[in-house]
Amino acid sequence: MTNRLADTLSPYLRAHADNPVDWWPWGADAFAEAQGRGVPLLISIGYSTCHWCHVMARESFSSPETAALINENFVAVKVDREEYPDVDGAYMAAASAFTQNLGWPLTVFATPQGRAFYAGTYWPPQAQGQVPAFHDVLTAVHEAWTLRREQAVESADAVAEALAAAAVITPSDLPGLAALAAAAGSIAAREDRTFGGFGGAPKFPVATTLGYLQQPLVRGETPDAAAAADRALTAMAASALRDEDGGFFRYATQRDWTVPHYERMLTDNAQLLDVALSAGDERTVRGIVAFLLNVLRRDGGGFGAAQDSESVIDGQRNEGGYYLRSLAERADLEPPAVDGKVITAWNGLAIAALARAGAFWGESSWVSAAQDAAQFVLRVNRSSDGALVRSSLDGVASSAVATLVDLGLFAEGLLALAAATGDASWAVRGREILDEALSGGAQPDPVLAAQGVESAPDSTDGDLPSGASAIALAALSVWRWGGGDRYRAAAEEQVRQHTASALQHPFGHGSLLGVAAGLTEPPRQVVVVTDDRDGALAAAGRRVDADASAVVTPAQAQEFEDAGFELFAGKSATAELAYDCRAFVCRLPVSEASALTRER
């Protein structure tokens, strides 16, 4: 049989299209079906490169016996967490009331109105120790719904009320220099001095945290904490976590960075590109760029979400076997599949990193790739009314709404592209998207909202910045370019909302703390005005250690000024001059590259 997933815009859902489970995609129709039948929802959440999602699909969702039990007693809904992050966030938060072992696949049992009353992650087909068999879980949940429904509903209501109470945020003052330095020291205290990185096994790259440790404030106040980021990158780049082709795997299952979990994500690699750039590690930079351009880039210029951990070798599904071979040995093998979803936020990360790296190393093709990706998202990732959406697949836009993370990170990518190209139109478009986000342009998932289920977005910076951090990052960038103090105020507001939590748990708030650090110290801003974009002064301008730097022609400087970016005001009259500014106060311009110091 085939179910309703074959025509969806998710490779993860399409992979389940031939399951005997009567799957529904996420949407109002599934809720209507559950309410009409009076049965619970079984909401299964995962993503296409998730190994244990593949395992559960083979073991349970492909089983006619298990499928019959599901189809008779539940309305089964399959959700791609990358396409619907708010749905994933809502049910992951609810699942925390039932299990401490959070992850994917996430299996949630919910009332017909969508409120979770039980949840777990992977369940095997046969019981393993204290872990029950999935068949037994299905039977127990069905019996509970049939015989003790009132208790199940009460449990669901209690979880919803607890989550609503936990979502209340009390703003606090911006953290000062001492608090930010202490936060960096707290992170550094977790460093594994033997193998590099932080914590034990499993061990993750935590690029958001590394980025904070590389902040100028941290380098100045706690240099050993800053050095921990470089040590972590060096250890990872020399380990099995980094593939021979330059791309990084998701995480290592062992403390010494061995036995990787072999999926490769756009999020990790785009952010580690920025980390490597800040560390001056050209070899790692070039390796990651090669992976992005040669593996994840899709037709039309957008970047796919991830490459799978599994591939088919000798007719069998094999996890990691492809990557354990040399590049020469791989030539005759079919590579692991790439999830071709072009996610707006994740492409924003790649656009920003490629633009910055391309400008710094003088690689115009990298900047061109960033432009192609930006144009793709602006052209394809749009709803019928022109609004940005979360993702697209094969040139078709998803109905999933854009989140704050999408708007913030894509805006930041366009701002970085403006700096790399000198083209003010990218900055204008990025500012417009940021303004949309600040005015409430990112709406909650409409299906969750219709059912009264809180979206509960994650406010921590985990594998990528949170929504608050993404908006704050973009607002800080616009302010640094002279967009106006209202953007600084917007960044401050986002930071204040989460300062208390960030200082209490700094390891999980690296991006937010990075914005806080940027608000604490006066920014260094460098503008080089020249007709020779390949000359010595332009090259020096691209390599300065600055919070905002751009190389523009006199005409481009005028375009930035006309667009309202005051940093460029009065700088279009002459060419071949570099302006080195601190908090918008510029020193006398210089015309010699040697006079423009790289250091702050």
Side-chain angles (χ1 to χ4, degrees):
M1 64 173 289
T2 57
N3 49 47
R4 302 165 187 82
L5 303 186
D7 296 327
T8 60
L9 295 176
S10 162
Y12 174 62
L13 268 62
R14 290 181 178 182
H16 292 77
D18 292 325
N19 289 168
V21 176
D22 188 20
W23 290 114
W24 295 70
W26 178 257
D29 290 346
F31 283 87
E33 177 73 7
Q35 290 163 17
R37 288 175 53 192
V39 298
L41 293 152
L42 186 162
I43 303 173
S44 175
I45 304 175
Y47 55 104
S48 70
T49 60
C50 164
H51 171 65
W52 287 103
C53 299
H54 296 325
V55 172
M56 195 166 180
R58 289 193 291 266
E59 293 176 342
S60 295
F61 298 140
S62 297
S63 163
E65 294 79 11
T66 301
L69 188 58
I70 293 173
N71 296 341
E72 182 178 356
N73 300 314
F74 304 92
V75 169
V77 181
K78 181 61 75 172
V79 180
D80 185 333
R81 68 173 292 259
E82 296 169 349
E83 187 178 17
Y84 291 96
D86 282 358
V87 175
D88 177 57
Y91 287 113
M92 187 63 74
S96 66
F98 305 102
T99 178
Q100 294 181 336
N101 299 318
L102 298 174
W104 301 275
L106 179 64
T107 309
V108 180
F109 298 96
T111 68
Q113 289 70 41
R115 292 193 168 191
F117 62 88
Y118 189 59
T121 53
Y122 164 78
W123 278 302
Q126 288 85 35
Q128 298 177 2
Q130 299 299 311
V131 181
F134 186 47
H135 184 281
D136 295 336
V137 171
L138 293 170
T139 300
V141 171
H142 169 61
E143 289 178 355
W145 182 255
T146 303
L147 303 177
R148 299 179 296 279
R149 183 173 306 186
E150 185 175 336
Q151 291 174 262
V153 173
E154 288 177 357
S155 175
D157 290 343
V159 170
E161 291 170 5
L163 292 175
V168 176
I169 296 174
T170 302
S172 56
D173 293 336
L174 291 175
L177 187 149
L180 291 169
S186 175
I187 293 170
R190 300 177 59 174
E191 183 185 9
D192 181 345
R193 289 285 186 150
T194 302
F195 297 110
F198 301 91
K203 187 176 281 186
F204 289 80
V206 289
T208 52
T209 302
L210 297 181
Y212 173 57
L213 296 182
Q214 293 179 318
Q215 287 289 318
L217 182 150
V218 176
R219 290 205 303 263
E221 297 298 319
T222 55
D224 191 59
D230 291 342
R231 290 192 288 268
L233 180 67
T234 298
M236 289 188 291
S239 76
L241 191 73
R242 181 176 183 267
D243 186 55
E244 190 177 343
D245 70 0
F248 282 83
F249 298 112
R250 183 71 187 91
Y251 64 88
T253 62
Q254 304 300 312
R255 177 188 163 198
D256 62 356
W257 297 109
T258 59
V259 193
H261 186 65
Y262 286 103
E263 61 183 310
R264 301 199 285 182
M265 313 296 292
L266 176 58
T267 49
D268 296 323
N269 282 278
Q271 291 177 102
L272 286 173
L273 175 54
D274 263 336
V275 170
L277 179 62
S278 295
D281 185 346
E282 183 178 1
R283 179 173 179 270
T284 300
V285 164
R286 291 187 178 277
I288 296 174
V289 170
F291 168 68
L292 294 179
L293 300 187
N294 298 333
V295 178
L296 291 189
R297 184 163 54 171
R298 306 289 88 193
D299 290 343
F303 291 94
Q307 187 176 30
D308 209 329
S309 62
E310 295 187 0
S311 62
V312 177
I313 299 177
D314 297 330
Q316 300 292 322
R317 295 288 296 182
N318 185 300
E319 186 192 12
Y322 177 87
Y323 302 108
L324 292 172
R325 287 159 168 77
S326 69
L327 291 181
E329 291 173 320
R330 294 178 196 179
D332 295 328
L333 296 176
E334 185 71 22
V338 170
D339 184 328
K341 288 196 312 298
V342 176
I343 298 174
T344 299
W346 299 12
N347 274 255
L349 289 172
I351 291 163
L354 284 168
R356 286 189 280 257
F360 185 87
W361 291 109
E363 295 284 357
S364 60
S365 64
W366 302 357
V367 179
S368 295
Q371 291 187 91
D372 290 344
Q375 290 165 346
F376 182 94
V377 172
L378 287 170
R379 183 178 70 253
V380 177
N381 287 23
R382 291 192 173 280
S383 63
S384 58
D385 63 1
L388 280 173
V389 298
R390 169 69 176 174
S391 66
S392 63
L393 181 68
D394 298 332
V396 181
S398 167
S399 60
V401 297
T403 66
L404 278 179
V405 177
D406 291 305
L407 298 181
L409 292 184
F410 188 58
E412 175 69 2
L414 297 184
L415 293 163
L417 194 53
T421 61
D423 185 345
S425 66
W426 292 118
V428 171
R429 191 68 189 97
R431 184 179 58 190
E432 290 172 351
I433 293 170
L434 174 61
D435 287 343
E436 177 186 346
L438 293 174
S439 62
Q443 299 298 317
D445 179 82
V447 178
L448 285 178
Q451 300 300 323
V453 178
E454 294 290 335
S455 60
D458 191 354
S459 61
T460 60
D461 304 317
D463 56 350
L464 77 167
S466 68
S469 297
I471 295 303
L473 282 165
L476 180 64
S477 293
V478 174
W479 171 70
R480 284 170 168 170
W481 288 115
D485 285 342
R486 74 183 184 93
Y487 292 102
R488 179 187 173 96
E492 289 178 348
E493 180 183 359
Q494 296 296 329
V495 173
R496 285 194 181 98
Q497 294 288 322
H498 303 283
T499 291
S501 178
L503 294 180
Q504 186 176 4
H505 305 289
F507 196 81
H509 292 82
S511 298
L512 191 88
L513 290 170
V515 176
L519 292 167
T520 300
E521 294 193 316
R524 183 189 186 190
Q525 303 142 310
V526 173
V527 176
V528 175
V529 184
T530 177
D531 283 316
D532 184 5
R533 292 183 58 84
D534 297 321
L537 188 62
R542 292 188 180 98
R543 291 206 165 198
V544 294
D545 181 10
D547 301 295
S549 61
V551 176
V552 294
T553 65
Q556 288 175 328
Q558 187 63 55
E559 289 169 359
F560 271 99
E561 181 180 359
D562 292 344
F565 293 96
E566 292 299 319
L567 180 63
F568 297 85
K571 296 180 175 63
S572 62
T574 57
E576 210 60 26
L577 286 177
Y579 298 83
D580 194 348
C581 315
R582 299 296 189 281
F584 304 97
V585 177
C586 301
R587 301 171 181 175
L588 289 175
V590 298
S591 58
E592 297 294 328
S594 59
L596 186 60
T597 60
R598 181 172 178 177
E599 293 73 24
R600 289 176 178 259

